[in-house]
Amino acid sequence: MRSLSIIIAAALLLSACVSSTTGPARTESSSAEAANNYYQLGARYYRNGNYNFARERLLRAIELDPQHAMAHSTLALTYMQLDNPRLATEHYDRAVRLAPGNFDVRNAYAVFLCGQGDFDGAEEQFQRAIRISDNDSPEIMLTNAGVCMSQKPDLKRAESYFRDALKAKPGYGEALLQMAQLMRSQGDGLAARAFLQRYLSANPATSSVLYLSYQVEQELGNDRASGEFAARLLREHPDSREARYLREGR
């Protein structure tokens, strides 16, 4: 889920606070600043896929500042990439205890729990993230919760989350796309078409969306519309995986 990459990208914008005082306070501030620098470096390594380097820098950040919640959270992400869910769990638990009011941390933890098959635990963390008063992007957590519930599977609960995400942000592309896919899976092609039309009116026409639109129109028996989407896919995204599927007649 792309929300996890959003957490890392936003965190990289943080800058350390530098104290102008002297003595112990300055030493403490310098230590926190050094920890934050290691954290930001580790986050960059994580974003670039250099997970061993990321782990080294993030562990150093935590050594300098054991209370750095985002370092623990990003280290948990790193351990998942290094196929170590035990240490990932340990650092997610630590991050949530250190920053119970950080909705990004709770969202990341919830995504992790969902991936581990702990759907009830994931939903609890999503709910807590959504309820945090200064959460300015609840549509992300609501959509993630819907995806998680669809994996459970609890499709009625998933649909409820997607609809709540669209109430929070009517043009949110990921929720519109998830609703289109959900409606299609339930055999409601007309509803799937409507959500795809809403998506395309406010979001980029990616290869996957054009291919899904092509499939929905085919299933509805609309040869003209399906042909238009096929032609558009081949014209705008000729090298995409979906264009290859189309050429292969999938």
Side-chain angles (χ1 to χ4, degrees):
M1 295 182 186
R2 65 182 185 182
S3 55
L4 295 186
S5 64
I6 291 171
I7 291 170
I8 299 301
L12 291 176
L13 300 177
L14 297 175
S15 59
C17 296
V18 180
S19 172
S20 60
T21 60
T22 59
R26 183 182 180 90
T27 301
E28 182 178 344
S29 176
S30 297
S31 180
E33 181 181 355
N36 201 51
N37 288 339
Y38 274 109
Y39 158 64
Q40 293 192 42
L41 183 58
R44 288 191 182 94
Y45 277 127
Y46 174 87
R47 186 183 62 183
N48 292 330
N50 297 320
Y51 302 120
N52 286 314
F53 286 154
R55 176 182 57 190
E56 292 174 6
R57 273 58 176 187
L58 293 166
L59 284 170
R60 179 58 175 153
I62 290 168
E63 180 182 347
L64 289 166
D65 182 4
Q67 309 302 308
H68 201 306
M70 288 303 294
H72 282 285
S73 184
T74 309
L75 183 57
L77 287 169
T78 303
Y79 276 125
M80 279 305 298
Q81 295 296 331
L82 294 172
D83 197 26
N84 194 328
R86 181 185 65 82
L87 287 177
T89 301
E90 178 182 316
H91 286 281
Y92 271 130
D93 286 341
R94 183 66 172 160
V96 170
R97 287 197 302 272
L98 288 169
N102 187 314
F103 54 85
D104 280 339
V105 167
R106 287 200 179 275
N107 177 62
Y109 188 29
V111 171
F112 166 75
L113 291 173
C114 189
Q116 297 299 298
D118 184 358
F119 301 111
D120 293 338
E123 186 173 21
E124 179 184 352
Q125 292 300 324
F126 281 129
Q127 287 283 355
R128 291 189 179 190
I130 292 162
R131 290 196 298 266
I132 292 172
S133 59
D134 63 346
N135 185 348
D136 57 358
S137 53
E139 70 278 359
I140 293 175
M141 290 77 180
L142 287 162
T143 303
N144 284 349
V147 171
C148 187
M149 291 300 99
S150 70
Q151 294 171 0
K152 188 176 181 177
D154 185 340
L155 300 186
K156 183 176 291 187
R157 195 104 177 102
E159 180 177 345
S160 177
Y161 277 117
F162 294 145
R163 291 191 183 278
D164 285 344
L166 292 172
K167 289 178 184 175
K169 188 173 181 179
Y172 184 48
E174 189 61 32
L176 289 168
L177 185 56
Q178 291 294 337
M179 278 298 295
Q181 293 171 330
L182 181 61
M183 293 298 101
R184 183 192 178 211
S185 72
Q186 296 179 333
D188 191 345
L190 290 174
R193 171 196 279 168
F195 281 108
L196 285 168
Q197 288 173 340
R198 287 176 59 184
Y199 178 97
L200 289 168
S201 70
N203 298 275
T206 63
S207 59
S208 60
V209 171
L210 291 175
Y211 188 61
L212 178 59
S213 299
Y214 157 78
Q215 292 176 308
V216 168
E217 294 301 337
Q218 269 206 326
E219 291 162 4
L220 288 172
N222 192 335
D223 293 337
R224 179 178 177 180
S226 65
E228 289 174 353
F229 279 117
R232 187 175 175 186
L233 171 59
L234 294 173
R235 182 176 66 253
E236 297 179 13
H237 306 280
D239 300 323
S240 66
R241 177 183 57 185
E242 291 79 9
R244 186 176 75 250
Y245 290 164
L246 192 63
R247 295 188 192 98
E248 294 172 353
R250 298 194 197 183

